[in-house]
Amino acid sequence: MLHIAHLTRRYGAIAALEDASLDVAPGEIVGLLGANGAGKSTLLRTAAGLQPPDAGTVTIDGVDLWSSPIEAKRRLGYAAEEPSFYEELSADEYLAFIATVRGLDAAAARARAAALVDALGLTGRTTEPVHQFSHGMRKKLSFVAAVLHRPPVLLCDEALEGFDAGGALAAKGELRALASSGIAVLFSSHVTETIERLCDRAVLLHQGRVVRVLERAAWGAPPSGPSPLEREFLVVAGSTP
Amino acid sequence: MPALVTSRTPAFQGLERALIRRRLMQLDPRLRVELGLLALLTAAVLFWQVRVPLDGLARSRGPFAAIGVVAVAWLILAALGSVLAGGYHARRLRAGPHGPEWLSLPLESSRLERHLAWESCSRLPWLAVPALGVLAAAIGLVPAWWLALLAAAFVGLLRVAGGLGCAVGYRVVLAATEPRARLHPIERVLAVAAPRVARRRVSGARWRSAPPWVALLAKDLLVTFRVAAMRRTAAVPIAFGVASLLAWQLPGEPAFRHFVAFALSLLAAAGLAEWLIVLAGSDPFAALRVLPVGVMTVWGARAIWAVVGALGLVATQAIAARGLSAHALQLFLAWSGAATVAIGVLGINYGVTLFPRVDVASRMLGLSLVLAMVASIMLPLSGWIILLTAVLHSARRLPRWAWLEET
């Protein structure tokens, strides 16, 4: 579903990505793990079409990103590490704009947005301009915008960073639901625990190179559902654990 | 405990040098050459306009009269610099200046004040361009040592004027700031910069199925209504458009009314282009570029605004300029309509291709329009050649829109 082949990207003399290749199959959640500066964001930004590679190709659901960018982006969702919005629009207006540009059915998109917003704990805040949002709320909005159209390929760059426990659990649930419906998810994080809990496979990136690929069996199955601390948080926050 | 950064420390000097270097490096080499050429042309045009009258003045009333004219011209430039720097400084202080969280750093307040004022004066060297044009026009007409003296005085005057403007801007902002005991004035100003507005809600969104360009048009309109600065930018072309309609009611010769109406309609077109540049600058880089829209959709949605502006102008002018003969009216409408579309498209091209540098795009638009105007005055119709060349030239970078990175 997502095929990244021999991707190289340099910033002057610095090689942010060096011959990086990976595949994500339909229904699979692949974790991209690496230290700060390992090249995770560069890989995801390049795969999202935000910057051209110096070499290599990105194929999204069979469509080459750089020869048919619009067609490829129809099949793509991207939750950025530092999302940017039209700050004066409300979250609701921003999502309506995204839905129209993506050509979604208005009523269905509205219902899906409402469900996601509710699950992530943004209910009651969607008529406020985005510039009033906290960092975590902005990340949640970016996540909703990325999954609104149930893209065949979803790229998440530190997507859950800044989420509260309830929001993070809901987002993980949404990611699992999307994956079980056949969507390929590439999820970057420098938090190993998130990758352990969420992903089927982990790709380790170091100095722009893919240095190791681990199957889930390599790290075992962590307990499903919320941890004891998360349970406490959800009780305090008034959500059902 | 770390030492206080005082005015003697070279930290700010290093920062200021690095900022100048960085800003120059941000412009790609070709753009740097183009800006240099445009500055040279602007200076040359001023030389061409000033040389002959100055020569006449020097011959009829002596070199000191010419020196007086040069001095007055430079005084006006310095005064303009003072106003620009002061206004910019006040705006920055109200909004919160760029850079780190200044108040969290162990800085001497007076040094911080000086650095912020330096930042606000950083555009003033552009005023040297017209000053050099005037200087070149005076060479050979007045004693060289007088010119050298005046030039040195101008450099000093520009610095003083910038500083004075910033001081006034600072006082204005300070006067509107709530007094706080034990806080240095600059700390007071920065502490309340860009105050958090009360939580505000807006009306519900309209969810609709429509082509992407319709969503972009609707979003442009919404952003313009929502953002005060954008509203002000959009009001300028409307104001000039209305003024160009009212110009037909002026007393005097029909030719004079015709000229004023046309000039004001061109200013309306320039205002429209400026709004389109600001709109392009308001597009968040990643938000738009991960969506399945290409540059032609984005460009096309903005071009619709240029066409709507031109049609609005032509339709209202057709009513207001009824007094003209049929042929003259047709020519006027064709000229002003085509100019509005061309200038609007030029604004779109600069706004889209120079993203996110709205200031550079505005400067390029202004320089291109001044050149076109001067060319028209020198040789009828040559302004069109300049304008259309600028439109085509600026369109070359459009295909790179998808990956024009924020730099």
Side-chain angles (χ1 to χ4, degrees), chain B residues 308-392:
Chain B
V308 167
L311 287 177
L313 193 74
V314 166
T316 49
Q317 290 285 3
I319 299 165
R322 282 190 310 268
L324 288 177
S325 67
H327 177 70
L329 181 62
Q330 281 168 9
L331 194 66
F332 177 81
L333 296 180
W335 236 232
S336 54
T340 304
V341 172
I343 293 170
V345 167
L346 184 61
I348 298 165
N349 287 357
Y350 282 142
V352 169
T353 59
L354 293 173
F355 177 89
R357 299 297 305 272
V358 172
D359 54 337
V360 176
S362 298
R363 214 173 293 145
M364 290 295 289
L365 175 75
L367 286 168
S368 305
L369 295 184
V370 165
L371 269 183
M373 191 183 71
V374 169
S376 269
I377 294 167
M378 288 166 67
L379 197 65
L381 296 180
S382 60
W384 278 104
I385 296 169
I386 300 269
L387 184 60
L388 296 176
T389 305
V391 169
L392 293 175

Side-chain angles (χ1 to χ4, degrees), chain B residues 13-294:
Chain B
Q13 289 167 9
L15 171 70
E16 287 162 6
R17 273 199 299 271
L19 283 173
I20 291 171
R21 198 167 49 242
R22 178 73 189 148
R23 281 167 194 167
L24 278 174
M25 298 301 288
Q26 275 181 335
L27 302 173
D28 72 39
R30 200 177 299 169
L31 190 59
R32 261 180 266 166
V33 172
E34 285 172 2
L35 280 173
L37 283 176
L38 283 171
L40 193 69
L41 278 170
T42 307
V45 165
L46 266 170
F47 167 83
W48 171 64
Q49 288 290 307
V50 173
R51 177 74 182 186
V52 175
L54 207 59
D55 187 34
L57 193 69
R59 285 173 196 279
S60 63
R61 297 176 63 183
F64 281 100
I67 287 171
V69 168
V70 172
V72 168
W74 285 355
L75 269 173
I76 291 170
L77 282 175
L80 180 67
S82 184
V83 171
L84 291 176
Y88 185 53
H89 196 52
R91 272 204 310 278
R92 287 179 63 242
L93 289 178
R94 277 197 204 100
H98 296 302
E101 292 291 345
W102 291 113
L103 294 184
S104 71
L105 297 175
L107 293 173
E108 194 181 77
S109 302
S110 59
R111 190 64 191 92
L112 178 57
E113 279 177 356
R114 272 202 291 281
H115 171 71
L116 296 178
W118 171 86
E119 185 78 81
S120 298
C121 291
S122 59
R123 296 171 178 190
L124 289 190
W126 281 103
L127 289 173
V129 172
L132 280 174
V134 175
L135 174 76
I139 288 173
L141 303 180
V142 296
W145 64 271
W146 259 107
L147 277 183
L149 200 68
L150 274 179
F154 175 70
V155 172
L157 189 66
L158 201 56
R159 287 176 69 105
V160 171
L164 199 66
C166 287
V168 172
Y170 180 29
R171 299 281 164 229
V172 169
V173 176
L174 191 60
T177 311
E178 197 182 316
R180 289 273 174 86
R182 296 199 303 276
L183 273 186
H184 186 276
I186 191 68
E187 291 171 344
R188 257 169 60 199
V189 167
L190 294 185
V192 298
R196 283 185 70 80
V197 289
R199 241 166 87 173
R200 187 164 64 91
R201 289 180 188 280
V202 296
S203 54
R206 283 188 62 196
W207 293 73
R208 60 184 148 205
S209 301
W213 61 268
V214 174
L216 285 163
L217 283 181
K219 185 270 302 165
D220 284 349
L221 215 51
L222 203 55
V223 169
T224 301
F225 280 122
R226 208 58 68 72
V227 184
M230 202 87 94
R231 277 200 304 272
R232 283 196 294 274
T233 313
V236 170
I238 295 170
F240 276 123
V242 171
S244 80
L245 298 177
L246 294 174
W248 295 106
Q249 306 304 319
L250 285 174
E253 292 294 311
F256 170 71
R257 289 197 291 270
H258 195 145
F259 170 77
V260 174
F262 185 63
L264 287 168
S265 73
L266 289 183
L267 286 173
L272 177 70
E274 180 68 26
W275 172 63
L276 291 166
I277 285 176
V278 176
L279 267 184
S282 74
D283 286 331
F285 178 77
L288 210 51
R289 282 160 179 84
V290 293
L291 295 176
V293 286

Side-chain angles (χ1 to χ4, degrees), chain A residues 9 51-52 70 73-74 78 84-86 88-90 92-93 100-102 104 106 113 124-125 127-129 132, chain B residues 199-202 205 207-210 215 219 222 226-227 282-284 287 289-294 403 405:
Chain A
R9 169 77 191 186
Q51 56 192 31
I70 295 176
K73 286 173 187 176
R74 276 189 223 288
Y78 172 65
S84 50
F85 305 98
Y86 291 97
E88 295 296 328
L89 298 191
S90 68
D92 209 18
E93 286 167 341
T100 310
V101 171
R102 287 203 173 276
L104 307 183
R125 305 296 300 269
T127 53
E128 291 177 25
Q132 291 179 196
Chain B
R199 241 166 87 173
R200 187 164 64 91
R201 289 180 188 280
V202 296
W207 293 73
R208 60 184 148 205
S209 301
K219 185 270 302 165
L222 203 55
R226 208 58 68 72
V227 184
S282 74
D283 286 331
R289 282 160 179 84
V290 293
L291 295 176
V293 286
W403 61 89
E405 287 183 62

Side-chain angles (χ1 to χ4, degrees), chain A residues 102-181:
Chain A
R102 287 203 173 276
L104 307 183
D105 173 71
R110 185 178 195 169
R112 174 151 170 78
L116 287 165
V117 156
D118 188 39
L120 294 179
L122 286 176
T123 310
R125 305 296 300 269
T126 53
T127 53
E128 291 177 25
V130 177
H131 69 77
Q132 291 179 196
F133 277 21
S134 68
H135 174 68
M137 290 163 70
R138 293 169 70 89
K139 298 278 288 196
K140 286 178 180 178
L141 179 59
S142 171
F143 182 80
V144 174
V147 301
L148 190 62
H149 56 301
R150 292 191 179 88
V153 173
L154 177 64
L155 305 173
C156 295
D157 192 359
E158 308 277 3
L160 305 188
E161 182 263 326
F163 277 40
D164 54 56
L169 281 169
K172 284 176 197 168
E174 176 63 25
L175 287 173
R176 287 195 192 97
L178 287 171
S180 63
S181 69

